[in-house]
Amino acid sequence: METISIVTIITIAFLGSFGHCVGMCGGIVVAYSSTKVKSGWSKQLQALSHLLYSFGRITTYVILGFIFGYVGGVVTFDNLTSGILLLTTGFLMVLIGLSLSGKIKFLTNLEHSVSKSPLYQKTFKSLIGSDSLTSFYLLGMLNGLLPCGFVYVFAITAASTGSPLWGAFVMLIFGLSTIPALFSLGFFVSIFKQTALRNTMIKIASIVVIGFGIYIAYLGYEYIVDPTKTILSCHI
């Protein structure tokens, strides 16, 4: 995995989290911040509760990355299959970048919420009503399972590594990079509700996502035309 790829993943996830993730998951963060976090708690305890929530999300992401990386390794039989997977990843990234910029409604159509599921509602109600620190972690894990186009693209990137460990690593980096936005939202809700700030972050993120999508698609093309390429030499 090249340094440029790691830096790009961090950049996309960090910028995108201030735009897309705050919009998608902000409601849950505000809900648990106002319901579960007590005003009498110390700042340290409040910070710990927000971190546990984020660590819960990351745990789910890492598990998904491991699974997708494993599946990617199983289905990658030859260079043609690997190249098609990379081209698909790049194409979806471009679509998500265009969706973030408001050009198309790809993310809206992709993100079918399961929050109305009886099982989800029952579990969510139980966790949101608990004051235990463990419940913050479990709530984060639950949130990590919600359909999200931004998560999907990194899951596909994890699959394209063809390795469970690299796949888990991709999702770990993605999850860690989203902490600043959602952690801060718990303390400074009004700041990230400002349309100007969110729109700026979304525009920057969309450009980076599109650029990285084109880069991944090019690697897919190289993989198809060069029989000597391997997953590692492609540096996803």
Side-chain angles (χ1 to χ4, degrees), residues 77-133:
F77 298 109
D78 52 31
N79 279 23
L80 177 61
T81 305
S82 301
I84 291 174
L85 183 59
L86 293 173
L87 283 171
T88 301
T89 303
F91 178 67
L92 288 176
M93 280 188 168
V94 171
L95 288 179
I96 286 179
L98 292 173
S99 183
L100 284 172
S101 67
K103 302 298 183 182
I104 60 177
K105 295 183 178 180
F106 180 68
L107 280 177
T108 302
N109 295 330
L110 193 63
E111 293 165 344
H112 296 290
S113 177
V114 297
S115 60
K116 293 184 179 180
S117 162
L119 178 60
Y120 175 87
Q121 289 184 340
K122 181 180 179 180
T123 306
F124 181 84
K125 184 177 180 180
S126 175
L127 292 175
I128 204 72
S130 173
D131 293 335
S132 70
L133 289 176

Side-chain angles (χ1 to χ4, degrees), residues 41-217:
W41 287 6
S42 65
K43 292 296 183 181
Q44 292 78 8
L45 186 57
Q46 291 184 40
L48 178 60
S49 65
H50 291 301
L51 285 175
L52 285 172
Y53 170 79
S54 287
F55 291 155
R57 287 190 303 106
I58 293 172
T59 300
T60 298
Y61 296 156
V62 169
I63 293 173
L64 291 175
F66 185 91
I67 294 173
F68 274 79
Y70 174 79
V71 172
V74 171
V75 300
T76 305
F77 298 109
D78 52 31
N79 279 23
L80 177 61
T81 305
S82 301
I84 291 174
L85 183 59
L86 293 173
L87 283 171
T88 301
T89 303
F91 178 67
L92 288 176
M93 280 188 168
V94 171
L95 288 179
I96 286 179
L98 292 173
S99 183
L100 284 172
S101 67
K103 302 298 183 182
I104 60 177
K105 295 183 178 180
F106 180 68
L107 280 177
T108 302
N109 295 330
L110 193 63
E111 293 165 344
H112 296 290
S113 177
V114 297
S115 60
K116 293 184 179 180
S117 162
L119 178 60
Y120 175 87
Q121 289 184 340
K122 181 180 179 180
T123 306
F124 181 84
K125 184 177 180 180
S126 175
L127 292 175
I128 204 72
S130 173
D131 293 335
S132 70
L133 289 176
T134 304
S135 68
F136 286 91
Y137 178 79
L138 294 177
L139 185 63
M141 289 191 70
L142 183 67
N143 185 32
L145 292 172
L146 288 176
C148 171
F150 214 51
V151 173
Y152 292 161
V153 71
F154 285 99
I156 295 174
T157 302
S160 68
T161 66
S163 163
L165 294 181
W166 276 119
F169 181 72
V170 166
M171 295 304 284
L172 174 64
I173 295 299
F174 163 69
L176 289 174
S177 301
T178 63
I179 287 181
L182 296 180
F183 177 85
S184 301
L185 179 62
F187 287 100
F188 310 107
V189 176
S190 61
I191 293 179
F192 300 108
K193 281 187 175 180
Q194 294 179 15
T195 304
L197 176 61
R198 283 195 57 206
N199 284 348
T200 299
M201 290 295 184
I202 289 175
K203 288 178 180 178
I204 296 175
S206 65
I207 294 174
V208 177
V209 170
I210 292 173
F212 192 49
I214 294 173
Y215 168 69
I216 293 296

Side-chain angles (χ1 to χ4, degrees), residues 209-233:
V209 170
I210 292 173
F212 192 49
I214 294 173
Y215 168 69
I216 293 296
Y218 175 73
L219 290 182
Y221 167 76
E222 279 194 325
Y223 209 100
I224 293 173
V225 299
D226 186 353
T228 65
K229 282 285 184 181
T230 65
I231 284 290
L232 294 179
S233 67

